[in-house]
Amino acid sequence: MLPVSYYVGLSAILFTIGALGVLIRRNAIIIFMSIELMLNAANLAFVAFARAHESLSGQIFVFFVITVAAAEVAVGLALIVAIFRNKQSIDVDQMSNLKG
Amino acid sequence: MTSTDFLSILPIIILVAWGCVLLLVDVFSKKNTWLTPLLAAAGLMVTLVFSIVQSGTTYTGFNGMVVVDGFSGFLNVLFAVSGLAGIALSFDYNKRMGLDRGEYYILLLFSISGMMLMSVAADLIVVFLALELLSIPLYVLAGFARPKLDSEEAAMKYFLLGAFAGGFVVYGVALAFGATGSTALGEIVAAVNTGTADLTLLTIGAGLIIVGFGFKVAVVPFQMWTPDVYQGAPTGVTAFMAVGAKAAGFAALLRVFVAALPTLYEQIVPIMWVMAALTMIVGNIVAIAQSNIKRMLAYSSIAHAGYIFMALVAFGQADVAPDAVSAALFYLLAYAVTNFGAWAVVIALEKSEGKGLQLDDYAGLGRKYPALAAAMLVFMLSFTGVPPTLGFMGKFFLFRTVLQAGFVWLAIIGVLTSLISAYYYLRVLVIMYMRDGDPEVNTPFLLNLTTGLTAVGTVVLSIVSVPLFKWASQAVLKIF
């Protein structure tokens, strides 16, 4: 069996990729996917640590995170669709109405 | 579920259940658009009364997942009152702007239930759930003026950055879980004390949690969404989220760091120090350059987050921390009262299509509407921190704690930036009183009531601020 640190390392890499994706990519959907990647990296870490501590609670938290992610998808995609209808674009760099 | 469990989250249950009932009521009463807000306010009243009754007690529920103590009691009262103020501010505004849809008030209720859950959360997972429960309705509310592009854009920015911040929080929670084997604050403390915790991992986790909540309460360098979202969202929502979301974010930060992580004090305090200082400096200096009142108040809210953050910096000093918590709570109260008043004036002057929001639109207000201008005078003085206003007392208690904790330079930066802030707050007064203009205002009853109550409250509460601060001092955290 692989040691737990491998899984945690992988989850850290996934989290970093997700965070960089949010900062670098400009398409709202891809930013959103990157955020999902961050949440799933946390899920992987939860499961790995749950295994290491032999505690089931970590696995249960994953369900909470998945539920929350689903709720965010519902709101997020609706917002993206609303903006697309209005502007025919979901490039976040073009969302520049608000400036001071 | 025992009866204690039930009691511990009863305010939240009331709000969520009442929100679900109101969703049905709203469907069947499309003609009576006053019904949903009225019932929502009634539900909040019940919650408020229950929160006041509950505020003297201390107990835990759900195996330590939630804890009711003075801290949560104080904040729940603040959240319920914020909700009432939010409804009062939005009622006529929404009609005027064509946003007259009942879901608005129901989403407000759901968001407040999340804030209340945040104030009782004693487990990092509950903190995360509460964060999302309060945020997701706010994303929708920020975009409530759709298809207006400004509002949609604000919602989008708020959503993307809010979800990003949520990702940081949940990963931080995962690392804290990995470091200690539990997410319950009490067990984290126990694991640290017995030496079974991996302190490096816990520090990284705590850092990620600070980043996540830094976005929520808008401290530098995580503040960039604030002015855009505050400007684009419907003004009633802006007023509500400026108080509610900020107070909830600080509730989580205070509880997690003061109650569970004081051992990490040495590692974390330099980062917090710098964040507090930068927030006060950046918020106040950039606010000077703003010509739109919504953006100016947004930067002002960033600056005030910096002041409250100063109290958090002392989280690891066992003798100062209780005082720091009460100073932060008192400042949140002062900020809430002043903030709702100032936004009420903004709403009175706002017209459709985003007109009436420039500072120049306030010219002549002092001559044409002396009462409204006098109220704005009180709010601006309170924001600046001039006696006899709540803002002054808030700053007084806050700076006193910061000095007690030994952060002299932080206090000096705070005082200096307060002086800078006088420039842009007093500029509003200069424009109101010294320039000629012909402003038009909308002053429906509820808005007048809110403006009047908050203006009187800002002055009167500052005179009785010592008993009020005592109440905040009793609102201590349950220490594990």
Side-chain angles (χ1 to χ4, degrees), chain B residues 161-424:
Chain B
L161 284 165
F164 188 46
F168 277 98
V169 171
V170 74
Y171 201 72
V173 173
L175 292 188
F177 173 71
T180 59
S182 172
T183 51
L185 299 187
E187 288 179 37
I188 289 176
V189 175
V192 171
N193 288 344
T194 53
T196 52
D198 182 342
L199 281 183
T200 324
L201 212 52
L202 190 58
T203 314
I204 300 172
L208 290 174
I209 292 174
I210 296 181
V211 172
F213 280 102
F215 274 108
K216 272 291 147 204
V217 300
V219 289
V220 177
F222 312 112
Q223 89 297 2
M224 56 296 198
W225 58 273
T226 318
D228 288 356
V229 173
Y230 280 27
Q231 186 190 355
T235 312
V237 178
T238 310
F240 174 69
M241 103 180 134
V243 173
K246 203 168 291 256
F250 275 111
L253 281 172
L254 286 169
R255 189 178 300 274
V256 170
F257 281 92
V258 175
L261 300 170
T263 29
L264 301 181
Y265 184 61
E266 292 293 320
Q267 292 94 317
I268 290 180
V269 82
I271 306 171
M272 283 193 170
W273 196 102
V274 172
M275 281 168 81
L278 276 180
T279 309
M280 292 186 286
I281 295 169
V282 171
N284 279 317
I285 288 181
V286 183
I288 293 177
Q290 304 305 317
S291 59
N292 179 305
I293 186 113
K294 279 177 102 172
R295 287 188 86 84
M296 191 200 93
L297 286 177
Y299 280 105
S300 134
S301 92
I302 295 173
H304 287 282
Y307 294 122
I308 305 169
F309 209 79
M310 279 201 302
L312 186 66
V313 180
F315 75 96
Q317 304 187 7
D319 46 337
V320 188
D323 245 3
V325 171
S326 23
L329 289 182
F330 187 86
Y331 199 91
L332 276 173
L333 174 79
Y335 171 73
V337 174
T338 314
N339 193 60
F340 275 117
W343 284 107
V345 178
V346 173
I347 286 177
L349 270 93
E350 182 172 348
K351 294 176 195 65
S352 54
E353 306 301 321
K355 301 242 166 42
L357 289 172
Q358 296 302 312
L359 287 178
D360 295 332
D361 295 323
Y362 285 70
L365 195 69
R367 197 156 302 159
K368 204 171 166 194
Y369 298 97
L372 199 64
M376 194 62 166
L377 170 84
V378 169
F379 302 134
M380 290 300 129
L381 291 182
S382 177
F383 272 144
T384 320
V386 177
T389 57
L390 263 185
F392 169 75
M393 294 316 294
K395 283 213 172 80
F396 172 75
F397 291 125
L398 203 58
F399 286 131
R400 197 181 62 174
T401 341
V402 174
L403 285 177
Q404 270 171 5
F407 299 112
V408 180
W409 276 104
L410 206 53
I412 292 175
I413 294 174
V415 172
L416 287 180
T417 51
S418 298
L419 286 178
I420 296 174
S421 77
Y423 177 79
Y424 62 89

Side-chain angles (χ1 to χ4, degrees), chain A residues 11-12 15 28 32 35 38-39 42 49 53 58 61 68 72 75-76 79-80 82-83 86 95-100, chain B residues 125 129 132 136 147 149-150 152-153 155-157 159-160 163-164 167-168 170-171 173-174 177-178 181 183 201 228 295:
Chain A
S11 92
F15 183 81
F32 193 36
I35 291 171
M38 292 166 72
L39 293 178
F49 284 131
H53 290 295
F61 299 152
V68 164
E72 271 184 350
V75 170
L79 278 173
I80 292 174
I83 291 216
N86 219 330
M95 294 182 198
S96 48
N97 262 26
L98 304 165
K99 258 189 208 150
Chain B
I125 279 297
L129 288 178
E132 296 296 335
I136 292 177
L149 202 52
D150 282 2
E152 284 181 353
E153 196 178 308
M156 190 73 196
K157 286 180 176 167
F159 168 72
L160 285 179
F164 188 46
F168 277 98
V170 74
Y171 201 72
V173 173
F177 173 71
T183 51
L201 212 52
D228 288 356
R295 287 188 86 84

